[in-house]
Amino acid sequence: MVFKNILVLLTIVVSAIYLISNTFISTASTRILLSNGVQFSIGIISFYWLWQVYQQKTTRLKTFWLLLSLGVFFSTFGTAIWFYLTLINQEINTPLLSNFIWVLSYVCYLSALIYKIRTNVVDFSNKSYFFNTVIYMIASISISYHYLLSPLIALKYSTTLSITYTTIFLVIDLALLF
């Protein structure tokens, strides 16, 4: 119980540092480094909590909690790599390894969502529900493509790999949204 209270207190302190850094620090690189340090700390705390729930569950949702905790782990690990390389190289750049690990985290999140939906036995054969979902998906994909992906493709310095990662992130984000 004491350890949980310490984690809650640590979460509050880290959140306060994040708020203060975004409010009062004017140097962009310092703000980004501090914000990502906070993100890394919150990722570790979240992973711990999700892993504890996974270990305590004996029901059919144990896989759901495992996938969520793996998603948070990959997200935190990708942030740690980005944070380390930013400190070493002294430039704000997203390395390919971090992008790959972040995509793995998104895949874990999407897998957890699909697993949760399948265990709840949602009836997707309901035609009106399916039709409304498809309409919403088409509208969201169109807006996302027009405002997010199309400008990226038009940039001369964007690479095929950056476009691929951005597309993967958009598709998984939209899938999680639906």
Side-chain angles (χ1 to χ4, degrees), residues 25-36 82 86 90 92:
I25 296 177
S26 61
T27 308
S29 61
T30 305
R31 189 172 53 237
I32 288 172
L33 288 175
L34 189 57
S35 296
N36 283 291
W82 181 87
T86 301
Q90 295 297 315
I92 300 171

Side-chain angles (χ1 to χ4, degrees), residues 26-169:
S26 61
T27 308
S29 61
T30 305
R31 189 172 53 237
I32 288 172
L33 288 175
L34 189 57
S35 296
N36 283 291
V38 168
Q39 182 180 357
F40 177 72
S41 302
I42 291 173
I44 291 172
I45 294 168
S46 299
F47 172 74
Y48 174 78
W49 283 347
L50 288 169
W51 188 256
Q52 291 300 312
V53 172
Y54 161 71
Q55 289 180 331
Q56 293 171 358
K57 292 293 181 185
T58 58
T59 63
R60 59 190 165 108
L61 291 180
K62 189 168 182 149
T63 304
F64 169 75
W65 292 109
L66 174 65
L67 289 169
L68 275 183
S69 62
L70 285 175
V72 170
F73 172 78
F74 285 133
S75 179
T76 305
F77 187 58
T79 301
I81 290 172
W82 181 87
F83 188 67
Y84 175 75
L85 291 176
T86 301
L87 285 175
I88 297 300
N89 297 333
Q90 295 297 315
E91 68 178 49
I92 300 171
N93 193 4
T94 307
L96 295 176
L97 182 59
S98 289
N99 275 337
F100 177 74
I101 293 172
W102 286 327
V103 166
L104 286 177
S105 73
Y106 271 52
V107 169
C108 288
Y109 295 142
L110 185 61
S111 299
L113 178 65
I114 291 170
Y115 183 82
K116 177 79 169 155
I117 289 172
R118 289 187 54 91
T119 57
N120 287 344
V121 191
V122 173
D123 186 17
F124 284 108
S125 63
N126 183 348
K127 291 180 183 175
S128 64
Y129 175 78
F130 181 72
F131 180 73
N132 290 338
T133 303
V134 169
I135 296 272
Y136 183 71
M137 287 173 63
I138 290 171
S140 298
I141 288 170
S142 299
I143 291 168
S144 296
Y145 176 79
H146 181 73
Y147 288 108
L148 300 174
L149 196 55
S150 180
L152 179 68
I153 293 171
L155 292 175
K156 294 184 180 186
Y157 62 86
S158 53
T159 64
T160 304
L161 195 56
S162 68
I163 292 171
T164 302
Y165 276 125
T166 303
T167 304
I168 290 170
F169 283 129

